[in-house]
Amino acid sequence: MTTNSDHIPAQPSATEDVPTSPAKQVLRMLWRDKLAFFAAVFLILVILCAIFGPMLFEEEATRQDLRGRNAPPFDFSRNWLFWLGGDTLGRPLLARIIVAAQNTMMVAAGAVAASLAIGTTLGLIAGYSGPRTSQVIMRLADVIMSFPSLLLAVIVLYMLAPSVGNLIIVLAITRIPVYLRTSRAEVLEVRERMFVQAAQVMGASTRRIVFRHILPIVAPTLITIATLDFAFVMLAESSLSFLGIGIQPPEITWGLMVSQGRPYLTSAWWLSFFPGLVIILTTLSLNLLSNWMRTALDPVQRWRLEIARKKHG
Amino acid sequence: MKSFLGKRAIASAISLIGLIVLVFFLSRLTGDPTALYLPVDASLESREQFRELHGLNDPLIVQFGTYVSDLVRFDFGDSIRRSEPALDAVLRAFAWTLQLALITMSLVIVTAVIVGSLAAFHVGGVFDRITTFFSLVGASAPDFWIAIVAIVLFSVNLGWVPTSGTGTLWHWILPVAVLFIRPFGLILQVVRGSMISVLGSAYVKTARAKGVRNRPIIFVHGLRNAMLPVITVIGDQAAALLNGAVVVETIFGFPGVGKLMIDSILQRDFSVVLAAIFVTAVAIFVMNILIDILYAVLDPRIRY
């Protein structure tokens, strides 16, 4: 590693070993921040579980074995799927956590993707169009913002019968204003810049200016917020499932698993503990990664990650 | 300022009306409470009587008309379950939630501001890293999980505090502590970030050059200017507390508005649900307006 201790980097590419491909550059920056690196590794693991978990472990996760009811964790003599113990029907807890990753991730990813797409589009329109359209859209955001969102979700889900689809819709609606406000605020600033004027002068259509010139500038901020929001939505889904109005058994999510283990708290603490721990680790990873992205995607701050740390301490 | 407040009040009123219409019709879709309240072998006549008594036989639109005309007189109807005015039940519960939120929020603000400012003073220092990490953990943890782990640890195993209910001071410790964690983590992060940028500004350097001590620089020069973004987050978090206490109240058997609401939804006690939503929404509106006013008070540059 190069240590240029008294050199204050003004330019991001101040070090001599400039990586060639952008992917390599990102990986190198990620490696510099160890916490963010491990967060990324953990998230990739979770995503792999969400995609392949049900395919590989569905059978193990539902096979009951009443002799192994509430098997204690850390019994390494058994199959590795039982290392985190067994649940009240003797099903391996680890396998269930892996399988539950799919529903948990699907709800969060669906809600974030939907609110990101809708919120950003509305925000771009509000930011670039006239005051009247903008006013209507912003008032809409105010209305959604002022609703007690969790309470509303409770009612709507109780009415609509809780399912993955409905859960995604409810959570997405409550998160739209976040993206709407951010993208509008950014557009208001960006639209005054020179390159937008240049594009206008060259005769670019409004749609082209908004989606090809402005959106790429706004995107990094939005993606950072989306990462953070993913954690928030995951917690909200877990809370709803915990209250019994989210995902319904026999489907499982991590929040539901915590809730199912609650009656056995004093006799089998692991039933609630491990699913909750996985929730914490996932949201923590998302938070750490979002923090890293905030620095990495900001041209003013990026040098902090690009140069080697002067000293450890 | 006055016209601004007027505009805000009108906008809030419109959202409130929308909210009431939405919740009214949605809640009627959940089904007939008759089956839930009368015994299975109740005669047709008594079922009919029950529906008639609670106005469930009228067409939906008539029910809505009656409801709105009562609402204008602040009459939210009676709770079917409790046979008392719905608003009374809600206000009684809301007083509990408000106390819980107020105590938690004051503790959060005081500790987060002090710890966050100190962390910002040595960016990258040991204290900064430890607090940043723990505030991130706090902001990441699901409160229901913390609540049940805390119950097992402190109530069941150690026996220090009661598991649920209210009555003594000891009953408050766990709910407040669990509610404390997430807003503390979030607000601390914002205080820290805001402080870092303020402490790097020119007037702080001037103060330093004049020989002002560290403590006045942090808590007088810095904090005052760093508070604005913090107040936005405090407002968001306080609103989240008001409607997010549902989970914690349910777990700890705390007689707040969140628990009342979940119970009422499960019991199809519509008038209580509507009253609870209404009261919570009004509280959030009032708080948002208070925060806007606070902005203007704290920063003379802001004029509405």
Side-chain angles (χ1 to χ4, degrees):
Chain A
M1 275 193 198
T2 52
T3 39
N4 30 5
S5 51
D6 50 8
H7 174 236
I8 296 157
Q11 292 300 313
S13 53
T15 40
E16 51 262 52
D17 51 337
V18 181
T20 41
S21 71
K24 242 184 202 167
Q25 210 173 343
V26 169
L27 274 181
R28 186 176 296 246
M29 268 156 59
L30 196 56
W31 178 245
R32 292 266 159 75
D33 190 340
K34 293 292 181 295
L35 276 178
F37 179 78
F38 287 118
V41 170
F42 183 77
L43 286 175
I44 290 173
L45 195 69
V46 170
I47 292 169
L48 287 179
C49 286
I51 297 173
F52 300 110
M55 263 186 266
L56 298 174
F57 301 112
E58 183 76 66
E59 203 168 309
E60 280 86 349
T62 48
R63 190 193 299 134
Q64 301 179 4
D65 173 16
L66 291 181
R67 274 175 308 171
R69 295 185 69 217
N70 292 353
F74 309 124
D75 178 2
F76 297 115
S77 60
R78 299 187 66 178
N79 184 347
W80 65 276
L81 286 170
F82 279 94
W83 283 359
L84 293 185
D87 75 352
T88 45
L89 294 171
R91 297 171 293 195
L93 203 60
L94 184 57
R96 287 179 70 72
I97 290 178
I98 292 174
V99 172
Q102 183 165 58
N103 275 331
T104 314
M105 288 295 117
M106 205 154 72
V107 171
V112 169
S115 53
L116 178 67
I118 300 172
T120 308
T121 313
L122 286 176
L124 289 175
I125 296 173
Y128 205 77
S129 60
R132 188 159 309 158
T133 326
S134 165
Q135 276 291 317
V136 172
I137 294 177
M138 290 319 285
R139 286 296 82 77
L140 195 74
D142 281 351
V143 170
I144 298 177
M145 288 282 268
S146 56
F147 284 175
S149 57
L150 193 62
L151 297 187
L152 210 64
V154 168
I155 295 175
V156 172
L157 283 175
Y158 193 67
M159 243 82 58
L160 293 180
S163 68
V164 174
N166 286 336
L167 205 54
I168 290 178
I169 294 174
V170 169
L171 290 173
I173 290 176
T174 56
R175 302 314 291 167
I176 285 176
V178 179
Y179 304 101
L180 204 165
R181 283 169 173 240
T182 319
S183 54
R184 174 176 170 270
E186 294 260 314
V187 170
L188 285 181
E189 190 259 323
V190 173
R191 67 182 282 188
E192 302 301 327
R193 291 204 204 155
M194 194 64 91
F195 68 88
V196 174
Q197 285 173 21
Q200 272 168 345
V201 170
M202 288 197 287
S205 68
T206 308
R207 185 186 296 180
R208 191 180 164 83
I209 292 178
V210 170
F211 287 101
R212 295 299 297 274
H213 295 271
I214 295 183
L215 187 59
I217 306 269
V218 182
T221 318
L222 290 173
I223 290 171
T224 310
I225 295 178
T227 316
L228 208 58
D229 218 36
F230 197 96
F232 181 91
V233 169
M234 227 184 83
L235 288 183
E237 179 272 318
S238 303
S239 304
L240 288 172
S241 295
F242 178 81
L243 288 173
I245 40 184
I247 302 287
Q248 301 294 312
E251 293 287 313
I252 37 173
T253 69
W254 293 335
L256 191 61
M257 291 177 73
V258 175
S259 150
Q260 285 173 339
R262 203 177 147 204
Y264 305 95
L265 266 184
T266 46
S267 53
W269 53 269
W270 53 92
L271 294 184
S272 289
F273 183 81
F274 288 119
L277 194 66
V278 179
I279 298 178
I280 291 198
L281 286 178
T282 312
T283 44
L284 183 65
S285 303
L286 286 162
N287 278 330
L288 288 170
L289 202 64
S290 168
N291 262 3
W292 174 81
M293 272 160 70
R294 198 176 303 150
T295 318
L297 294 176
D298 183 351
V300 183
Q301 298 275 327
R302 190 183 289 163
W303 61 269
R304 290 177 193 273
L305 295 167
E306 279 177 337
I307 57 153
R309 194 175 279 153
K310 277 186 243 165
K311 57 183 180 210
H312 295 278
Chain B
M1 186 83 192
K2 254 184 197 149
S3 73
F4 166 78
L5 287 182
K7 263 187 206 156
R8 277 303 290 262
I10 291 170
S12 310
I14 293 173
S15 330
L16 264 185
I17 293 169
L19 186 66
I20 285 174
V21 173
L22 182 76
V23 177
F24 181 89
F25 286 105
L26 277 179
S27 64
R28 300 294 144 139
L29 289 176
T30 49
D32 189 350
T34 318
L36 205 66
Y37 281 93
L38 295 186
V40 187
D41 55 348
S43 63
L44 271 178
E45 289 88 72
S46 55
R47 280 172 197 272
E48 212 37 49
Q49 212 176 5
F50 182 85
R51 290 213 187 90
E52 199 60 49
L53 182 67
H54 294 287
L56 295 166
N57 271 339
D58 303 331
L60 210 53
I61 196 78
V62 176
Q63 287 187 36
F64 185 65
T66 326
Y67 186 78
V68 170
S69 63
D70 285 347
L71 201 60
V72 175
R73 291 178 276 117
F74 275 102
D75 179 1
F76 282 85
D78 289 345
S79 157
I80 299 182
R81 171 112 184 145
R82 294 155 208 267
S83 335
E84 64 172 332
L87 194 59
D88 291 5
V90 170
L91 286 180
R92 193 163 359 97
F94 189 73
W96 284 103
T97 302
L98 199 62
Q99 280 181 55
L100 191 62
L102 271 180
I103 295 175
T104 312
M105 230 32 216
S106 350
L107 285 174
V108 166
I109 293 169
V110 172
T111 46
V113 164
I114 293 177
V115 176
S117 311
L118 293 178
F121 196 65
H122 286 294
V123 184
V126 178
F127 184 72
D128 179 37
R129 285 190 190 194
I130 291 174
T131 48
T132 304
F133 185 75
F134 278 100
S135 67
L136 273 178
V137 174
S140 309
D143 39 15
F144 56 88
W145 185 78
I146 297 185
I148 59 180
V149 170
I151 287 182
V152 170
L153 198 62
F154 296 112
S155 305
V156 179
N157 287 345
L158 295 172
W160 288 349
V161 281
T163 51
S164 63
T166 52
T168 62
L169 197 63
W170 294 103
H171 286 95
W172 288 79
I173 292 179
L174 277 189
V176 169
V178 170
L179 281 176
F180 176 86
I181 293 171
R182 200 180 315 165
F184 175 72
L186 289 169
I187 292 174
L188 190 141
Q189 285 298 303
V190 179
V191 171
R192 177 177 170 274
S194 174
M195 259 323 231
I196 289 176
S197 64
V198 166
L199 288 181
S201 62
Y203 67 85
V204 168
K205 284 183 188 140
T206 312
R208 252 201 209 126
K210 284 197 304 185
V212 181
R213 272 172 229 271
N214 279 337
R215 202 178 296 168
I217 284 184
I218 296 179
F219 291 107
V220 179
H221 295 80
L223 199 53
R224 229 188 242 175
N225 289 287
M227 270 318 263
L228 278 182
V230 178
I231 284 171
T232 317
V233 185
I234 289 177
D236 286 352
Q237 287 306 306
L241 255 188
L242 280 182
N243 84 78
V246 181
V247 176
V248 170
E249 284 176 0
T250 314
I251 294 176
F252 290 107
F254 196 86
V257 79
K259 187 171 187 310
L260 178 71
M261 181 119 166
I262 292 277
D263 291 348
S264 308
I265 289 176
L266 296 178
Q267 295 157 352
R268 306 224 168 100
D269 205 344
F270 300 142
S271 41
V272 178
V273 176
L274 272 163
I277 290 224
F278 185 84
V279 170
T280 319
V282 168
I284 292 177
F285 285 135
V286 170
M287 200 184 59
N288 283 339
I289 291 177
L290 282 180
I291 283 172
D292 282 330
I293 295 174
L294 199 61
Y295 264 140
V297 171
L298 279 180
D299 190 343
R301 287 169 299 185
I302 294 179
R303 284 275 165 269
Y304 293 116

